Amino acid sequence: MQSIGIIGVGSYLPEAIISNAEIGYGAGVTDEWIVRKTGIRERRRAAPHEATSDLAVVAARRALARAGLTADQLAYVVVATSTPDHPQPATAALVQDRIGAHRAAAFDVNAVCSGFVYALKTVEKLLRGAADDEPRYGLVIGADIYSRIIDYSDRKTAALFGDGAGATVLGPVAPGLGLGRISLVSRGDAHHLIEVTAGGSRRPPSPDTVAQGGHYFRMDGRGVRDFVTRTLPYEIGQALRRAGVPADAVRHFVPHQANGIMLADIWPDLGLHRAALHLTLERYANTGAASVPVTLAEMDRQGAADPGELVVLAAFGGGMSLGIALLNWSMGARGDAAAAGAHLRAAEADHPAEDTTPHLLTAGDRVSPLAP
C-alpha cells in the first residue's frame, strides 16, 4: 500500500505573551514556583477576537505552503480540539470554508490533548484506503484556546496552559518514510481526572452552572501524573515491540507538552537512550491538542531531523486517552523546496509571520535542560 507521511507542517501562536508573574499573581504563586513545578516560563494567549478556528486557519495555510499544495487538493480537513468555536457546527467546517478546501470532508475529533494523534491515525487510514481517482492529501490540525476555560485562581491549572495551533499535511511519501504503527489507548474508568463538567447535555448552561464554576477546566494533577507515569512507558514499549523496532532506533521523541518536570522525571523510564527529547513548553506551555504539531513545526524550522529518522509521538489527555505514533521523518525528502518556498511567501503576505527565534529545547542524546 502507498506510504502516507507528513509532507507539510505549520503553526500559529498568538501574539500576546503572558509571563509567569502575571499568571502567578492571580493564583497566589511565584514565577520561581511555576518554573520549579512545571518548567514553563511563559505562554501565548489568543486575542479577544480570536477563536480556535482563527488559529487553525493560519496554521493550516502555513502547513499547505510548506507542502507546496493548495487547499483544493485536500480530501480531508480534520481539527482536533476540546475548545471548539461552539458546539456545532464543527470547527473543521469553518476552517474548510476559509482556506477554500471545498472538495474536502471536514470534521472534528475530541480526545482532549491526545486528539492530534487520534486524528492523525484517522486521516492516515482514510488516505490509505482512497480510490485511485480520489485526492490523496489530508490536513490534520490540533488547535486549542484553553485561556477561555481556565480558572486563573486555581494554582493547579492556571500556569499550565497556553493557546495555539499546529497543522500537518498528510500525503504520499517514498517507501520507508512516513507513518508507521499508531496505537490508541483509552481508559474510560479514569475519565474523572480531567473534566469540564458543565455545558453539555448532562449539565446544560445555566446561571447555576456559571456561578458554580462548572464551565472551568478541572484536573486531578496527582492522578494525571500517576496515570502518565504508569501508562506512558508501557505503551511506548508495546508500540515499539509490535512494530519490531528496537528502542535504540528512535532518534526523536515528541511528547505532549504537559509539564516539563514530569516529562524529565519519566524520561529515563522510556528507554529511548539515543533519542532527543523535544520540548517547546518553556515558551508555549501546554497548548492541548496543538502541542505535538506545534513542536513538529519547530523541528522542521530548525532542521532538527533528517529524512528517514525515526520519531515517536506521544500524546495523553482527558478521557483518559493516549496515542503513540511511529513516524519516519519525511519532511525535506520530496525535493520541492522551491515550490514550497513560493507558497510560503504567498501565505505570509496575508498573515503575520510568527516568531522564528529558536525555542526548541533539545539536547541531542541528552535530556532537555529542563531536567533537574
mmCIF file of all heavy atoms in Angstrom, residues 151 153 197-199 203-216 218:
data_model
loop_
_atom_site.group_PDB
_atom_site.id
_atom_site.type_symbol
_atom_site.label_atom_id
_atom_site.label_comp_id
_atom_site.label_asym_id
_atom_site.label_seq_id
_atom_site.Cartn_x
_atom_site.Cartn_y
_atom_site.Cartn_z
ATOM 1 N N ASP A 151 -9.627 28.562 35.130
ATOM 2 C CA ASP A 151 -9.869 29.350 36.333
ATOM 3 C C ASP A 151 -8.511 29.856 36.817
ATOM 4 O O ASP A 151 -7.710 29.082 37.348
ATOM 5 C CB ASP A 151 -10.539 28.468 37.395
ATOM 6 C CG ASP A 151 -10.752 29.186 38.712
ATOM 7 O OD1 ASP A 151 -10.350 30.363 38.834
ATOM 8 O OD2 ASP A 151 -11.302 28.562 39.639
ATOM 9 N N SER A 153 -7.603 31.477 39.244
ATOM 10 C CA SER A 153 -7.330 31.426 40.681
ATOM 11 C C SER A 153 -6.930 30.019 41.130
ATOM 12 O O SER A 153 -6.563 29.812 42.291
ATOM 13 C CB SER A 153 -8.564 31.879 41.467
ATOM 14 O OG SER A 153 -9.636 30.944 41.326
ATOM 15 N N THR A 197 -17.273 20.064 33.611
ATOM 16 C CA THR A 197 -18.487 19.324 33.966
ATOM 17 C C THR A 197 -19.772 19.918 33.409
ATOM 18 O O THR A 197 -20.791 19.221 33.320
ATOM 19 C CB THR A 197 -18.628 19.223 35.500
ATOM 20 O OG1 THR A 197 -18.700 20.543 36.053
ATOM 21 C CG2 THR A 197 -17.442 18.472 36.092
ATOM 22 N N ALA A 198 -19.761 21.187 33.025
ATOM 23 C CA ALA A 198 -20.999 21.826 32.583
ATOM 24 C C ALA A 198 -20.905 22.251 31.122
ATOM 25 O O ALA A 198 -19.823 22.342 30.545
ATOM 26 C CB ALA A 198 -21.318 23.033 33.456
ATOM 27 N N GLY A 199 -22.072 22.515 30.529
ATOM 28 C CA GLY A 199 -22.124 22.998 29.158
ATOM 29 C C GLY A 199 -22.613 21.965 28.164
ATOM 30 O O GLY A 199 -22.852 22.288 27.000
ATOM 31 N N ARG A 203 -25.318 18.677 32.111
ATOM 32 C CA ARG A 203 -25.465 19.911 32.887
ATOM 33 C C ARG A 203 -25.494 21.080 31.906
ATOM 34 O O ARG A 203 -24.478 21.733 31.682
ATOM 35 C CB ARG A 203 -24.319 20.078 33.885
ATOM 36 C CG ARG A 203 -24.254 19.044 34.980
ATOM 37 C CD ARG A 203 -23.143 19.394 35.971
ATOM 38 N NE ARG A 203 -23.457 20.625 36.702
ATOM 39 C CZ ARG A 203 -22.537 21.380 37.306
ATOM 40 N NH1 ARG A 203 -21.248 21.060 37.229
ATOM 41 N NH2 ARG A 203 -22.892 22.477 37.970
ATOM 42 N N PRO A 204 -26.639 21.338 31.300
ATOM 43 C CA PRO A 204 -26.718 22.421 30.320
ATOM 44 C C PRO A 204 -26.363 23.762 30.954
ATOM 45 O O PRO A 204 -26.489 23.936 32.171
ATOM 46 C CB PRO A 204 -28.188 22.391 29.875
ATOM 47 C CG PRO A 204 -28.690 21.046 30.258
ATOM 48 C CD PRO A 204 -27.932 20.650 31.479
ATOM 49 N N PRO A 205 -25.921 24.707 30.132
ATOM 50 C CA PRO A 205 -25.569 26.023 30.682
ATOM 51 C C PRO A 205 -26.754 26.668 31.390
ATOM 52 O O PRO A 205 -27.897 26.622 30.902
ATOM 53 C CB PRO A 205 -25.175 26.827 29.438
ATOM 54 C CG PRO A 205 -24.825 25.808 28.408
ATOM 55 C CD PRO A 205 -25.705 24.640 28.686
ATOM 56 N N SER A 206 -26.469 27.250 32.536
ATOM 57 C CA SER A 206 -27.495 27.937 33.310
ATOM 58 C C SER A 206 -26.801 28.903 34.258
ATOM 59 O O SER A 206 -25.587 28.816 34.467
ATOM 60 C CB SER A 206 -28.316 26.921 34.124
ATOM 61 O OG SER A 206 -27.526 26.380 35.172
ATOM 62 N N PRO A 207 -27.537 29.832 34.853
ATOM 63 C CA PRO A 207 -26.904 30.706 35.849
ATOM 64 C C PRO A 207 -26.231 29.926 36.970
ATOM 65 O O PRO A 207 -25.182 30.327 37.478
ATOM 66 C CB PRO A 207 -28.082 31.546 36.361
ATOM 67 C CG PRO A 207 -29.034 31.595 35.211
ATOM 68 C CD PRO A 207 -28.934 30.235 34.572
ATOM 69 N N ASP A 208 -26.818 28.783 37.349
ATOM 70 C CA ASP A 208 -26.230 27.983 38.427
ATOM 71 C C ASP A 208 -24.899 27.366 38.009
ATOM 72 O O ASP A 208 -23.942 27.362 38.789
ATOM 73 C CB ASP A 208 -27.188 26.872 38.851
ATOM 74 C CG ASP A 208 -28.354 27.392 39.680
ATOM 75 O OD1 ASP A 208 -28.252 28.524 40.197
ATOM 76 O OD2 ASP A 208 -29.358 26.672 39.790
ATOM 77 N N THR A 209 -24.816 26.824 36.778
ATOM 78 C CA THR A 209 -23.544 26.199 36.361
ATOM 79 C C THR A 209 -22.443 27.238 36.245
ATOM 80 O O THR A 209 -21.281 26.948 36.540
ATOM 81 C CB THR A 209 -23.698 25.460 35.016
ATOM 82 O OG1 THR A 209 -24.042 26.387 33.974
ATOM 83 C CG2 THR A 209 -24.745 24.367 35.104
ATOM 84 N N VAL A 210 -22.815 28.458 35.846
ATOM 85 C CA VAL A 210 -21.818 29.525 35.777
ATOM 86 C C VAL A 210 -21.368 29.913 37.176
ATOM 87 O O VAL A 210 -20.167 30.028 37.459
ATOM 88 C CB VAL A 210 -22.384 30.749 35.026
ATOM 89 C CG1 VAL A 210 -21.403 31.919 35.102
ATOM 90 C CG2 VAL A 210 -22.664 30.400 33.573
ATOM 91 N N ALA A 211 -22.317 30.101 38.085
ATOM 92 C CA ALA A 211 -21.985 30.500 39.455
ATOM 93 C C ALA A 211 -21.142 29.442 40.164
ATOM 94 O O ALA A 211 -20.287 29.774 40.995
ATOM 95 C CB ALA A 211 -23.268 30.770 40.236
ATOM 96 N N GLN A 212 -21.360 28.175 39.818
ATOM 97 C CA GLN A 212 -20.619 27.078 40.455
ATOM 98 C C GLN A 212 -19.280 26.788 39.798
ATOM 99 O O GLN A 212 -18.553 25.892 40.237
ATOM 100 C CB GLN A 212 -21.482 25.811 40.442
ATOM 101 C CG GLN A 212 -22.749 25.920 41.281
ATOM 102 C CD GLN A 212 -23.767 24.849 40.939
ATOM 103 O OE1 GLN A 212 -23.475 23.905 40.194
ATOM 104 N NE2 GLN A 212 -24.982 24.979 41.479
ATOM 105 N N GLY A 213 -18.933 27.513 38.740
ATOM 106 C CA GLY A 213 -17.658 27.284 38.065
ATOM 107 C C GLY A 213 -17.619 26.008 37.250
ATOM 108 O O GLY A 213 -16.543 25.469 36.973
ATOM 109 N N GLY A 214 -18.793 25.538 36.838
ATOM 110 C CA GLY A 214 -18.852 24.267 36.122
ATOM 111 C C GLY A 214 -18.293 24.304 34.716
ATOM 112 O O GLY A 214 -18.066 23.248 34.120
ATOM 113 N N HIS A 215 -18.047 25.486 34.175
ATOM 114 C CA HIS A 215 -17.535 25.605 32.812
ATOM 115 C C HIS A 215 -16.017 25.734 32.778
ATOM 116 O O HIS A 215 -15.431 25.859 31.700
ATOM 117 C CB HIS A 215 -18.184 26.797 32.110
ATOM 118 C CG HIS A 215 -19.666 26.684 32.015
ATOM 119 N ND1 HIS A 215 -20.306 26.079 30.951
ATOM 120 C CD2 HIS A 215 -20.652 27.052 32.885
ATOM 121 C CE1 HIS A 215 -21.605 26.111 31.154
ATOM 122 N NE2 HIS A 215 -21.845 26.693 32.322
ATOM 123 N N TYR A 216 -15.391 25.705 33.957
ATOM 124 C CA TYR A 216 -13.937 25.752 34.021
ATOM 125 C C TYR A 216 -13.331 24.355 33.876
ATOM 126 O O TYR A 216 -13.930 23.346 34.263
ATOM 127 C CB TYR A 216 -13.475 26.327 35.364
ATOM 128 C CG TYR A 216 -13.615 27.819 35.499
ATOM 129 C CD1 TYR A 216 -14.185 28.371 36.650
ATOM 130 C CD2 TYR A 216 -13.160 28.677 34.507
ATOM 131 C CE1 TYR A 216 -14.311 29.751 36.799
ATOM 132 C CE2 TYR A 216 -13.278 30.052 34.644
ATOM 133 C CZ TYR A 216 -13.857 30.579 35.790
ATOM 134 O OH TYR A 216 -13.965 31.938 35.933
ATOM 135 N N ARG A 218 -11.046 21.453 34.998
ATOM 136 C CA ARG A 218 -10.593 20.938 36.296
ATOM 137 C C ARG A 218 -9.744 19.691 36.083
ATOM 138 O O ARG A 218 -10.018 18.889 35.198
ATOM 139 C CB ARG A 218 -11.778 20.599 37.206
ATOM 140 C CG ARG A 218 -12.711 21.762 37.499
ATOM 141 C CD ARG A 218 -12.035 22.865 38.286
ATOM 142 N NE ARG A 218 -12.958 23.945 38.609
ATOM 143 C CZ ARG A 218 -12.588 25.121 39.130
ATOM 144 N NH1 ARG A 218 -11.302 25.349 39.373
ATOM 145 N NH2 ARG A 218 -13.491 26.042 39.380
#
